[in-house]
Amino acid sequence: MTLTLSDVLQQAPENQASQIVKHYNFYFLLRKMILEKDAYTHPSDARHWKFAEKMLDFLNEISERRGQPNRWVARYSIEIGGHDISRSTKFSTLKDTLEMPAPKDVSGWVDTNLDSVRGTETPKDPSKGYVALLGWSINAIKAAQNFDRRYIVVAPDWAADFCEANNIPFMPWDFSRLNDRSFEIARRLKDDGVDVAIPLFEETVEWAGAINAVLMDQPRMYGQSILFRDKALMKRRAQLGGIRVGIFEEAYEKDDIVRFMKRVNQTLLKLDGDPDDPIHVKAFDKAGCLGHRMIRDIEDIDKIPDEEYPLLMESHLDGWEFAVEAWIHDGEIKFLNISEYVTLGYSVFVPATKELEQWREAITQQIEKLIKTFDIKFGQIHPEYFLTSDGEMYFGEVAYRPPGFKAFELIEKAYGFNAYQASILVFDPKSTKQEVEAFFPREVDDAKGYAGCFGVYPRRRVVSKLEMPEETVGHPYFDTHELVEPAQETVPERSAFGTHWGLVFFVGDDPIKMRDLLKAQEDLDFYV
């Protein structure tokens, strides 16, 4: 089979071809093979052909999908497997005719706060694991740079310029959906020596499962990742493990929700004239509050757009809702944080009050049951539970990735350890038990204080500017905020949870004051 390099490269978009070839070191490795050919002992060395075939196949996929010319020029045909071609012909000709595109100016993306730019990045230990961070998180990248594990960031191609400018190991990938090319990313990471993939967002959980199934040769990991994403399957697996859950069903159209709501209230022995108990609908595979709606009457069902179906329907559980962040190594909990919600979708703080912490032993038992039921051997999980007035605990859902509302950052403020580094540690198959146990502090006892955050929603229909309330910035617990000036004056109607405009952070030494402070933020205007 004969392939012409120019045929492939001339069809690829300029930015795509140059960035991909650069970041995968295809061009530079090929150049090394050309300029340092004495390092190879035989012209038919299989490494030459394996490398050339990989490069051409990859770029050929680009050219098939995108038909734009670029500045790459190469006037030489490489015959894959052409062992009869002499090394001098093969490499000297290619050296003379392969041209590099003009370098792209990415200096505007330089972040002088990054260790990779300042030259202060922690040296990496080759005896430890090599991890792939799936998704884009600056805080996760900073944590990896300040840790002793090798890492590579796998994110959409819009991150390429930033990574190039800041010396960040990078591999572009589109996480929009799993498809028949899904095996390709696992193959590339495995060839690169990566030991494990770590999901940073809900959308990358399934990808991490598929990749780790290949990297660790454990096919069940992919199926396990589907359980973590599909909330209906997740609840069924929990039921099989003897974990308490509420009533749930799938909805494919409006009538399904109507029937479910009627059955739930019939089960609760509601009489004519009694107010209906609300139900909840959620997306099957979205994070946290995204797509979460509380349905109180039939009119609320009419507000759900057709494109949001299918949905998961759940009965309403009365009780104290809280979340857990647990780091697991060799099937054992190494650190367990309890995050106390003040108002769901608005505010949370860590560690929890003594009132909730008194349930730690029972909560730990529930997490251990969850670990056994879902066969979790390593990693970090974020389950949510309801604690009823009679002490029963109901499982809400579990995520196999960092939680929202900057909980990792809150934990670091409260305890001092970096939660992203903790996740790298427990995911790394080369971490030792002693190393993991030495990393974590003691729960609650070693906390330096309490850290909380509040998600801001505009209280007015029309706003023109950001104006931080004096009650907020003047409070001794106020730490910082990430709010920005409004991009539009009209505030969209809030039809579901999970659409806050930014977070305000607080740090203090009294959990009751923290709880009251976070609650009080709900009555303040941040956008006027």
Side-chain angles (χ1 to χ4, degrees):
M1 177 179 65
T2 300
L3 296 175
T4 304
L5 194 59
S6 60
D7 291 342
V8 176
L9 294 177
Q10 286 179 358
Q11 295 181 57
E14 175 182 333
N15 65 332
Q16 188 85 351
S18 62
Q19 290 298 329
I20 288 176
V21 171
K22 181 169 184 178
H23 286 299
Y24 281 95
N25 291 322
F26 285 151
Y27 174 84
F28 298 109
L29 286 175
L30 185 58
R31 183 176 176 81
K32 179 180 177 68
M33 290 165 59
I34 297 168
L35 299 179
E36 301 178 18
K37 51 184 178 293
D38 289 342
Y40 298 89
T41 59
H42 194 273
S44 63
D45 191 322
R47 288 176 296 179
H48 296 170
W49 304 118
K50 181 179 180 182
F51 170 77
E53 184 174 16
K54 182 190 294 184
M55 182 180 74
L56 292 174
D57 284 349
F58 181 69
L59 293 176
N60 194 42
E61 290 178 5
I62 299 173
S63 67
E64 289 175 358
R65 287 184 278 116
R66 309 189 185 200
Q68 301 175 16
N70 78 338
R71 291 183 305 225
W72 286 78
V73 178
R75 297 178 299 276
Y76 188 74
S77 296
I78 297 179
E79 184 179 351
I80 301 301
H83 300 283
D84 57 326
I85 301 177
S86 68
R87 181 168 61 176
S88 60
T89 301
K90 184 167 45 184
F91 288 107
S92 62
T93 308
L94 186 58
K95 175 182 176 181
D96 293 337
T97 58
L98 188 63
E99 299 177 8
M100 191 72 170
K104 186 176 183 179
D105 182 13
V106 295
S107 58
W109 290 103
V110 174
D111 184 346
T112 56
N113 293 316
L114 290 173
D115 288 322
S116 56
V117 175
R118 298 164 61 187
T120 55
E121 186 164 351
T122 300
K124 308 308 178 186
D125 186 344
S127 69
K128 301 298 182 183
Y130 180 13
V131 304
L133 303 176
L134 303 191
W136 183 254
S137 167
I138 288 293
N139 286 345
I141 294 171
K142 289 180 178 179
Q145 292 188 351
N146 198 29
F147 204 42
D148 63 355
R149 264 67 172 176
R150 292 166 294 159
Y151 75 97
I152 183 170
V153 174
V154 181
D157 55 9
W158 46 254
D161 288 348
F162 184 92
C163 290
E164 180 181 354
N166 294 285
N167 305 317
I168 297 169
F170 175 70
M171 180 182 291
W173 195 259
D174 179 10
F175 294 110
S176 59
R177 65 185 180 90
L178 291 171
N179 52 44
D180 56 4
R181 296 181 62 237
S182 301
F183 181 75
E184 181 184 325
I185 185 174
R187 183 188 64 200
R188 290 186 201 161
L189 291 172
K190 189 169 187 176
D191 289 346
D192 199 36
V194 170
D195 294 295
V196 66
I198 303 175
L200 298 179
F201 296 98
E202 185 68 25
E203 292 75 15
T204 63
V205 169
E206 207 166 340
W207 283 98
I211 292 168
N212 288 332
V214 174
L215 296 182
M216 299 182 179
D217 194 24
Q218 296 182 27
R220 290 182 183 274
M221 282 189 174
Y222 177 54
Q224 184 189 45
S225 70
I226 296 175
L227 290 179
F228 285 122
R229 292 223 66 202
D230 188 312
K231 290 183 172 65
L233 288 177
M234 178 196 302
K235 287 180 179 289
R236 289 190 174 91
R237 180 63 177 261
Q239 280 184 321
L240 289 173
I243 297 172
R244 284 178 171 266
V245 300
I247 304 170
F248 66 93
E249 286 183 20
E250 294 96 331
Y252 296 92
E253 58 185 7
K254 172 186 173 181
D255 289 344
D256 293 337
I257 303 179
V258 174
R259 283 192 295 270
F260 179 78
M261 191 169 185
K262 289 181 177 179
R263 284 199 300 270
V264 167
N265 281 280
Q266 184 179 17
T267 303
L268 295 172
L269 303 180
K270 292 296 182 103
L271 302 175
D272 289 342
D274 289 344
D276 284 338
D277 247 39
I279 63 169
H280 298 259
V281 297
K282 300 177 180 179
F284 278 127
D285 58 359
K286 290 185 180 179
C289 294
L290 294 179
H292 179 184
R293 300 169 183 266
M294 180 182 286
I295 305 298
R296 296 183 181 277
D297 51 46
I298 301 301
E299 287 71 23
D300 290 335
I301 303 175
D302 294 332
K303 298 175 183 177
I304 302 175
D306 291 340
E307 59 268 21
E308 291 193 15
Y309 290 93
L311 295 163
L312 176 72
M313 304 176 290
E314 299 176 326
S315 59
H316 178 70
L317 293 173
D318 284 318
W320 194 351
E321 187 171 5
F322 63 90
V324 171
E325 289 77 42
W327 283 265
I328 301 157
H329 187 252
D330 285 343
E332 298 179 351
I333 300 170
K334 296 304 177 181
F335 188 85
L336 189 151
N337 174 73
I338 302 173
S339 292
E340 183 165 337
Y341 293 144
V342 180
T343 300
L344 180 64
Y346 278 93
S347 46
V348 64
F349 67 94
V350 302
T353 58
K354 290 182 179 179
E355 188 179 0
L356 183 54
E357 281 289 347
Q358 70 178 339
W359 294 95
R360 173 172 285 273
E361 183 178 349
I363 292 171
T364 300
Q365 291 174 359
Q366 289 294 322
I367 302 302
E368 290 173 343
K369 184 182 290 187
L370 194 68
I371 291 171
K372 181 179 179 180
T373 298
F374 284 82
D375 193 26
I376 303 170
K377 300 301 183 184
F378 62 87
Q380 178 266 324
I381 60 174
H382 167 62
E384 294 179 329
Y385 288 87
F386 291 87
L387 176 62
T388 62
S389 57
D390 58 357
E392 293 287 355
M393 274 186 227
Y394 285 83
F395 170 72
E397 59 188 61
V398 59
Y400 195 65
R401 42 101 182 137
F405 267 69
K406 298 291 181 72
F408 271 19
E409 288 75 6
L410 297 182
I411 290 171
E412 183 172 6
K413 289 176 183 290
Y415 282 97
F417 76 87
N418 188 291
Y420 290 104
Q421 291 178 354
S423 293
I424 293 173
L425 189 65
V426 296
F427 268 94
D428 178 8
K430 297 180 180 177
S431 295
T432 65
K433 181 178 181 180
Q434 295 76 15
E435 185 181 17
V436 173
E437 291 179 346
F439 182 90
F440 292 103
R442 295 175 299 168
E443 293 103 334
V444 183
D445 291 342
D446 287 345
K448 301 179 295 182
Y450 296 84
C453 68
F454 175 78
V456 173
Y457 302 89
R459 286 158 37 91
R460 307 184 183 198
R461 292 291 296 147
V462 178
V463 297
S464 60
K465 64 178 181 177
L466 167 67
E467 188 173 279
M468 295 296 294
E470 179 58 34
E471 298 94 324
T472 300
V473 297
H475 197 283
Y477 282 12
F478 174 72
D479 182 31
T480 185
H481 75 85
E482 58 180 29
L483 303 179
V484 297
E485 292 293 336
Q488 59 190 63
E489 291 188 348
T490 302
V491 178
E493 184 178 355
R494 191 174 164 211
S495 59
F497 293 99
T499 53
H500 66 75
W501 283 33
L503 298 172
V504 182
F505 299 92
F506 303 91
V507 177
D509 57 7
D510 187 318
I512 304 304
K513 287 183 180 179
M514 177 66 73
R515 183 178 64 191
D516 294 344
L517 174 62
L518 291 171
K519 187 67 178 176
Q521 303 307 302
E522 297 176 21
D523 297 325
L524 301 178
D525 285 317
F526 291 81
Y527 289 96
V528 296

